[in-house]
Amino acid sequence: ATQQVRDQLAGLPASVRRVLLPPLDEAAVDALVSSVAGASLAGQDAAALRARTGGNPFFVQEVARLAAARGPAATLMVPPGVREVLQRRLARLSQPCMSLLAAAAIVAETAAETIEDDLLCQVSGVSEEAAARLLDEAAAGRVLDVDPAGPARYRFRHALIREVLDHGLSSARRGELHAAAGEVLEQRVSPSAAAARLAYHWSRAAGPSAREKAADWSLRAARDAVAGFSFEAAAAHYARALASRPAEATAVSVEYGETLQLCGDVAAAR
């Protein structure tokens, strides 16, 4: 169907006017999902889907179709048609640009799709000058958005692009990049302020110290979340810490059970 549409567009006369459609807002995303899947989304879910797809009508429609066929969990997958479109867009970029974007996909995963230039350069080993040139190439290729006045100049246009880049990595390379991100973040002035971020990267990292660091940072993130009354987030961090087999497993299990009780999950806490 995609090739058929491209052939039809190519055959249109030059006098045909092309109109760029703006991204859908949350209400329009909800309406489109409802028309495709037969059920509307909660406000928070509509906002999340809009952010993940950038409000692109085709992307929203494909995610909705996948969810209708496979259930709500499929909204976290990249539909095949969307993957094809985005892979073609990425294929137009140079190999150095693609390599840098792969690293950017890892560091931006814990930064709401934004790309912190200094962190990316340290993780990838690319100089600031070269990184700026390559990121500008990606922006010209409609992979990144640019905000010259923002705290982070570049960001992925939507999460789906970052996810396609992430899925294109080998397990070994993905683990290396997560470990590199963890090491750089630990060197920052106040790594304790980024405990949840460090826990995420180390839990997906490769290397001899990855499991120990994943347990350590997950436990710190869990206790920080409890102190902030974010009990559901704390439970997720405790579960990750236990999966990494911490040295103080018994104490962590007790804390995990107490947190599950605070979440209202008494059965699981037993």
Side-chain angles (χ1 to χ4, degrees):
T2 303
Q3 184 60 51
Q4 182 181 5
V5 170
R6 288 202 302 269
D7 292 342
Q8 290 177 341
L9 289 174
L12 292 174
S15 59
V16 171
R17 181 184 177 190
R18 297 190 179 191
V19 179
L20 294 176
L21 298 177
L24 301 178
D25 60 18
E26 290 177 23
V29 166
D30 184 37
L32 180 54
V33 170
S34 180
S35 69
V36 172
S40 59
L41 297 169
Q44 187 175 4
D45 293 336
L49 182 56
R50 184 190 185 282
R52 185 163 179 258
T53 60
N56 182 300
F58 171 67
F59 295 167
V60 173
Q61 177 178 272
E62 291 300 292
V63 171
R65 283 179 174 173
L66 195 63
R70 301 190 185 182
T75 58
L76 300 178
M77 300 170 63
V78 180
V82 173
R83 185 185 302 277
E84 179 187 348
V85 168
L86 294 178
Q87 284 176 335
R88 283 203 307 271
R89 187 181 301 179
L90 291 167
R92 301 187 188 107
L93 302 174
S94 68
Q95 188 55 49
C97 182
M98 282 290 293
S99 296
L100 186 66
L101 286 176
I106 296 301
V107 300
E109 188 175 3
T110 53
E113 313 307 332
T114 61
I115 299 172
E116 300 148 286
D117 297 7
D118 58 338
L119 176 60
L120 176 60
C121 290
Q122 289 180 275
V123 169
S124 65
V126 175
S127 69
E128 291 184 13
E129 182 180 356
R133 183 176 67 254
L134 295 172
L135 292 173
D136 281 340
E137 178 188 341
R142 298 185 299 118
V143 172
L144 304 179
D145 284 332
V146 183
D147 180 9
R153 186 181 177 197
Y154 302 94
R155 65 177 298 121
F156 284 102
R157 299 196 82 178
H158 43 71
L160 288 171
I161 290 180
R162 184 190 53 70
E163 290 169 20
V164 168
L165 285 161
D166 188 327
H167 295 166
L169 291 167
S170 67
S171 297
R173 181 56 179 157
R174 186 181 298 110
E176 290 172 359
L177 288 170
H178 276 295
E183 289 170 357
V184 174
L185 286 169
E186 283 183 337
Q187 295 168 8
R188 294 198 165 187
V189 176
S190 180
S192 60
R197 192 176 186 186
L198 280 158
Y200 184 89
H201 285 297
W202 280 118
S203 67
R204 287 159 175 77
S209 62
R211 177 173 290 175
E212 180 182 350
K213 290 193 174 187
D216 181 31
W217 285 110
S218 295
L219 188 54
R220 292 196 202 188
R223 289 167 176 167
D224 287 348
V226 169
F229 302 102
S230 299
F231 301 123
E232 291 185 1
H237 290 307
Y238 275 123
R240 186 186 292 131
L242 287 169
S244 300
R245 299 201 293 271
E248 45 187 315
T250 302
V252 174
S253 295
V254 171
E255 291 180 34
Y256 181 35
E258 292 172 346
T259 302
L260 288 173
Q261 287 185 318
L262 291 170
C263 290
D265 194 346
V266 178
R270 292 175 180 171

Coordinates of all heavy atoms in Angstrom, one line a residue, residues 4 12 116 143 235:
Q4 N 2.2 1.9 -3.5 CA 1.1 2.3 -4.3 C 0.8 3.8 -4.1 O 0.7 4.5 -5.1 CB -0.2 1.5 -4.0 CG -1.3 1.9 -4.9 CD -2.6 1.1 -4.6 OE1 -2.6 0.3 -3.6 NE2 -3.6 1.2 -5.4
L12 N 1.2 12.6 -10.0 CA 0.3 13.8 -10.0 C 1.0 14.9 -10.8 O 2.2 15.0 -10.8 CB 0.1 14.2 -8.5 CG -0.7 13.3 -7.7 CD1 -0.7 13.8 -6.2 CD2 -2.1 13.2 -8.2
E116 N 21.5 15.6 25.4 CA 22.4 16.5 26.1 C 23.8 16.4 25.4 O 24.4 15.3 25.4 CB 22.5 16.0 27.5 CG 21.2 16.1 28.3 CD 21.1 15.0 29.4 OE1 20.9 13.9 29.0 OE2 21.2 15.4 30.6
V143 N 14.8 13.9 11.5 CA 14.9 12.9 12.6 C 14.9 13.6 13.9 O 14.4 13.1 14.9 CB 16.2 12.1 12.4 CG1 16.4 11.2 13.6 CG2 16.1 11.3 11.1
A235 N 8.5 0.6 44.2 CA 8.3 -0.9 44.0 C 9.0 -1.4 42.8 O 9.7 -2.4 42.8 CB 6.8 -1.2 44.0

